[in-house]
Amino acid sequence: MTTATRTNPLSYLTDQLDELKAKGTHFKLRVLEDEQAPVCTFDGKKVINLASNNYLGLTTHPKLREAALEATRKYGVGSGAVRTIAGTMKIHMELEEKIARFKNVEACVVFQSGFAANAGTVSAVLGKDDCIISDALNHASIIDGARLSKAKILVFRHKDMAHAEEQLASVKEEPGKKLLITDGVFSMDGDIGPLPALCDLAEKYGAIMMVDDAHASGVLGRNGRGTIDHFGMHGRVNIQVGTLSKAIGALGGYVCGTRDLIDFLYHRARPFLFSTSHPPAVAATCIAAFDVLENEPERMEKLWENTRFWKKELGLLGFDIGGRNTPASETPITPIIIGDGKLTMDFSRELFKEGVLGTGIAFPTVPEGKARIRTIMTATHTKEELGQALEVLGRVGKRMGIVGLIRS
Ligand SMILES: *Cc1c(COP(=O)(O)O)cnc(C)c1O
């Protein structure tokens, strides 16, 4: 018998990829060949890196490197189990205690990533009879957690407090719990969530208040304590999420709150129960990183100095850096709004040829027609590097008709 000919059951994936290619938004992964640094080598080309979340330059900090090496020598490379079986090492507990003290809360639980922290927490804390009231631009991990919880999801227009209140009021009579949730800093536009107004609403409607501070950890608040500290909202946010993967320089996510919230998550958060804990090197690195946040505040000062300089200069060049049809950035994330997805990807490729890495971001990561190059400042970019990047952006932007582009 001859082998039956069978069409490839995954051929629809190829069709979808072909569609992306036709639209010009298909991408190849850029591969980094040396350290995550302001100037580094991707795909064999030395470029100024405007795409990294390494806000404070901690990925290569000597103290963090040393902490990772020492922990590896002492404890090996893996934890060997999930936290609830045999994978809770003393160093994991030390990290959680360290973060809880830093954030001035009762307790903290560390997850394998910020994504796992959000998805695992929202889906554990809420159930099918509950309601989640969520900002339209909240991170994908919040959206996935909300879907996994099976709760009713009500989305309010980005930072529109009247709409958020309307949504809360619409479910006021329902018996289930309500969760009001926002990003502290929105990752694609760089604007800050309106925490004071949201906390007022949560209190008025008896909702649980949750903030995802991934891009605020190490960036906003005293020594990088995040948006809760930035706004003085201590004691008014029930669930605080942060990441260890961005400014902290390593990998992981955490949730801060009451001792009982954390104990509950130890028992019910599925990534905690069913996925292996961090290697000791990661925990040790993060412990060292929080020491650096406390002892080297000059890193954050430099980050903000670079950010102010960068926004001013990009604006002077005539780019749309948000604030017209998109939110205005208030943080080291500065988008250059272009609109068309293909033009954005072409711009990104041309910039790369001229020695600047600025990642193009298009649908579905941002809405259709809001494609952009997202730039991120760090504390370790020098003025010379920024000057050089601005020269390239201006020159290529003019050549491609992007500078001064007026969008409807
Ligand atoms: C990056 C990010 C996350 C995920 O954090 P990881 O530690 O990278 O998994 C969650 N929320 C927001 C808002 C983010 O920007």
Side-chain angles (χ1 to χ4, degrees):
M1 218 177 85
T2 54
T3 320
T5 48
R6 182 163 168 311
T7 51
N8 175 6
L10 289 178
S11 62
Y12 66 100
L13 300 183
T14 310
D15 297 343
Q16 289 186 26
L17 286 170
D18 287 344
E19 268 174 45
L20 289 182
K21 285 173 190 165
K23 271 171 71 182
T25 54
H26 180 270
F27 59 81
K28 279 213 187 73
L29 296 174
R30 293 231 180 264
V31 179
L32 176 61
E33 293 166 15
D34 41 23
E35 295 180 344
Q36 186 62 257
V39 176
C40 52
T41 312
F42 280 91
D43 299 334
K45 186 166 176 63
K46 199 169 148 198
V47 290
I48 299 168
N49 182 356
L50 299 177
S52 169
N53 297 320
N54 184 23
Y55 288 108
L56 301 173
L58 298 195
T59 59
T60 52
H61 193 292
K63 286 189 174 143
L64 275 65
R65 239 194 253 264
E66 197 43 52
L69 290 170
E70 195 197 323
T72 303
R73 279 189 217 102
K74 258 177 145 164
Y75 305 117
V77 296
S79 75
V82 304
R83 289 284 301 272
T84 49
I85 306 288
T88 295
M89 301 173 95
K90 205 167 164 213
I91 204 160
H92 294 130
M93 300 310 293
E94 278 173 27
L95 174 59
E96 291 179 344
E97 284 154 22
K98 178 126 197 145
I99 298 172
R101 276 199 304 279
F102 179 74
K103 299 278 283 186
N104 196 23
V105 292
E106 275 179 35
C108 168
V109 51
V110 169
F111 286 85
Q112 300 84 353
S113 68
F115 196 106
N118 270 328
T121 299
V122 173
S123 59
V125 170
L126 280 294
K128 67 174 173 35
D129 300 321
D130 303 326
C131 293
I132 298 172
I133 297 95
S134 176
D135 187 287
L137 295 189
N138 276 346
H139 192 258
S141 54
I142 293 176
I143 298 169
D144 286 11
R147 289 178 182 157
L148 281 170
S149 75
K150 301 199 178 71
K152 182 169 173 182
I153 302 167
L154 300 171
V155 174
F156 59 90
R157 286 185 296 274
H158 182 52
K159 298 209 291 191
D160 182 334
M161 290 303 93
H163 195 213
E165 176 152 24
E166 214 176 283
Q167 298 285 36
L168 280 161
S170 75
V171 291
K172 199 175 160 197
E173 302 306 327
E174 293 193 15
K177 296 172 285 293
K178 321 288 175 338
L179 175 78
L180 184 56
I181 185 163
T182 187
D183 280 8
V185 170
F186 291 89
S187 52
M188 291 302 145
D189 293 283
D191 55 332
I192 302 178
L195 263 55
L198 285 166
C199 287
D200 287 347
L201 282 180
E203 284 154 18
K204 182 170 170 189
Y205 289 89
I208 303 158
M209 184 70 221
M210 177 164 169
V211 176
D212 170 12
D213 251 350
H215 277 284
S217 312
V219 173
L220 281 168
R222 285 168 305 143
N223 302 82
R225 283 176 171 78
T227 54
I228 287 100
D229 192 75
H230 171 77
F231 283 116
M233 293 291 109
H234 298 283
R236 300 183 67 191
V237 175
N238 307 102
I239 307 177
Q240 300 185 36
V241 172
T243 186
L244 304 167
S245 325
K246 289 174 175 145
I248 304 304
L251 176 70
Y254 58 87
V255 177
C256 285
T258 61
R259 170 52 54 202
D260 281 353
L261 168 70
I262 303 313
D263 199 23
F264 178 84
L265 292 173
Y266 278 180
H267 287 80
R268 285 289 178 270
R270 291 170 70 83
F272 189 86
L273 292 164
F274 296 108
S275 185
T276 299
S277 52
H278 279 148
V282 172
T285 302
C286 294
I287 291 172
F290 283 93
D291 285 334
V292 169
L293 288 188
E294 306 232 48
N295 298 330
E296 299 179 24
E298 61 275 15
R299 284 179 183 266
M300 246 179 84
E301 282 159 26
K302 193 74 209 304
L303 168 65
W304 283 95
E305 185 193 316
N306 278 348
T307 297
R308 284 187 292 272
F309 172 78
W310 184 248
K311 284 188 197 304
K312 187 181 101 219
E313 296 295 325
L314 272 186
L316 288 175
L317 279 176
F319 286 111
D320 175 359
I321 57 170
R324 289 185 212 165
N325 298 319
T326 44
S329 170
E330 306 158 80
T331 66
I333 299 170
T334 309
I336 299 174
I337 310 287
I338 292 162
D340 180 65
K342 181 171 185 321
L343 183 58
T344 300
M345 294 308 170
D346 289 346
F347 187 36
S348 176
R349 264 190 295 274
E350 289 303 308
L351 291 175
F352 188 80
K353 282 189 208 155
E354 310 261 353
V356 171
L357 178 73
T359 312
I361 299 177
F363 182 80
T365 309
V366 296
E368 205 72 83
K370 298 268 172 76
R372 68 205 52 200
I373 302 286
R374 183 179 65 165
T375 69
I376 298 186
M377 265 312 94
T378 77
T380 48
H381 284 97
T382 63
K383 279 276 150 57
E384 292 71 48
E385 288 156 3
L386 297 182
Q388 219 177 314
L390 286 162
E391 188 277 321
V392 171
L393 278 160
R395 184 157 44 81
V396 178
K398 272 192 204 114
R399 191 169 79 212
M400 296 184 67
I402 288 165
V403 166
L405 192 67
I406 305 297
R407 273 152 303 274
S408 51

